[in-house]
Amino acid sequence: DAGVTQSPTHLIKTRGQHVTLRCSPISGHKSVSWYQQVLGQGPQFIFQYYEKEERGRGNFPDRFSARQFPNYSSELNVNALLLGDSALYLCASSAQETQYFGPGTRLLVL
Amino acid sequence: GENVEQHPSTLSVQEGDSAVIKCTYSDSASNYFPWYKQELGKRPQLIIDIRSNVGEKKDQRIAVTLNKTAKHFSLHITETQPEDSAVYFCAAPRGNTGNQFYFGTGTSLTVIP
């Protein structure tokens, strides 16, 4: 029984580049949410998708975008990377309100 | 998160003692409150949750209490063990949204053997 999976596990980019992070939810879960976790802080909500539609967006700039595919997997895209985008990016899937997190993608922007 | 306050930020207890972590929230429409445990370098893992129609929920050594009038909820860990050492996060939903949460700033719990 596979849990939430994310790829890649680690990523190093330079300022100005863009990045695509991927998430596969638990089988049967139709909702995927993305969070940014800066070191020493709690996760910050970025996006939620349900049935391929955006259901909510947190206080993040337009450089951040996401989408959900027919198989409910999701991608998070970040353009024009800044040093401050360095963080752990977590994906969470849910069937009801309970969220289960993936292992995250650790992004370092140099 | 701006709508969830969590205290204390650090907590050290002797093995076998109890630990209590408290959170307050601001949105009265919130109706589901999960707690997550995050070990160093790992994902947050759900340890217990509570819905607004109950005041307390227990699962072995872990319990959560909810006071909707005061808008606060607490995590109680009894008979602490060294493996309980981790960062604990509370969370509350953004209004009536289904799967969008504000998280607290975390409590780093250290259980001293």
Side-chain angles (χ1 to χ4, degrees):
Chain A
D1 183 21
V4 181
T5 60
Q6 291 186 243
S7 63
T9 56
H10 296 81
L11 204 51
I12 299 175
K13 292 284 188 178
T14 56
R15 282 179 296 174
Q17 288 188 310
H18 78 274
V19 68
T20 297
L21 311 181
R22 295 177 176 83
C23 171
S24 291
I26 293 170
S27 178
H29 287 190
K30 299 180 179 180
S31 175
V32 169
S33 298
W34 286 94
Y35 292 84
Q36 180 196 65
Q37 187 176 25
V38 175
L39 193 63
Q41 297 183 19
Q44 297 286 317
F45 172 74
I46 309 175
F47 285 111
Q48 187 218 345
Y49 275 78
Y50 179 78
E51 291 277 17
K52 301 181 296 254
E53 292 190 1
E54 182 183 305
R55 291 299 183 92
R57 182 187 184 109
N59 189 23
F60 281 81
D62 292 343
R63 300 184 296 109
F64 288 76
S65 63
R67 56 180 176 168
Q68 187 177 34
F69 298 99
N71 66 353
Y72 304 113
S73 66
S74 178
E75 285 183 352
L76 175 69
N77 295 283
V78 186
N79 293 324
L81 285 167
L82 302 174
L83 297 179
D85 295 331
S86 296
L88 178 68
Y89 288 86
L90 293 161
C91 169
S93 84
S94 52
Q96 304 291 335
E97 67 262 283
T98 303
Q99 292 196 326
Y100 300 93
F101 283 94
T105 294
R106 193 164 296 281
L107 172 65
L108 178 61
V109 182
L110 301 176
Chain B
E2 57 186 342
N3 289 339
V4 178
E5 292 188 5
Q6 182 172 347
H7 300 280
S9 57
T10 60
L11 181 59
S12 291
V13 299
Q14 290 292 134
E15 182 177 359
D17 287 350
S18 295
V20 180
I21 303 170
K22 298 181 179 181
C23 286
T24 60
Y25 62 97
S26 59
D27 192 334
S28 58
S30 298
N31 56 7
Y32 170 74
F33 305 90
W35 285 89
Y36 288 86
K37 174 183 180 182
Q38 188 173 30
E39 297 176 354
L40 191 62
K42 296 190 176 180
R43 75 186 78 187
Q45 289 200 307
L46 180 73
I47 55 172
I48 195 167
D49 54 18
I50 190 168
R51 289 171 176 79
S52 59
N53 57 342
V54 298
E56 183 176 5
K57 182 178 178 180
K58 281 186 179 180
D59 183 2
Q60 299 182 342
R61 297 186 296 107
I62 296 173
V64 56
T65 58
L66 171 65
N67 183 327
K68 282 211 71 179
T69 303
K71 296 182 187 173
H72 65 70
F73 56 112
S74 301
L75 178 71
H76 304 252
I77 306 174
T78 59
E79 301 172 31
T80 54
Q81 300 168 3
E83 51 265 39
D84 294 330
S85 296
V87 179
Y88 291 81
F89 293 99
C90 62
R94 300 169 79 232
N96 282 326
T97 61
N99 304 117
Q100 306 169 27
F101 288 89
Y102 290 117
F103 279 77
T105 49
T107 296
S108 178
L109 173 64
T110 301
V111 179
I112 303 166

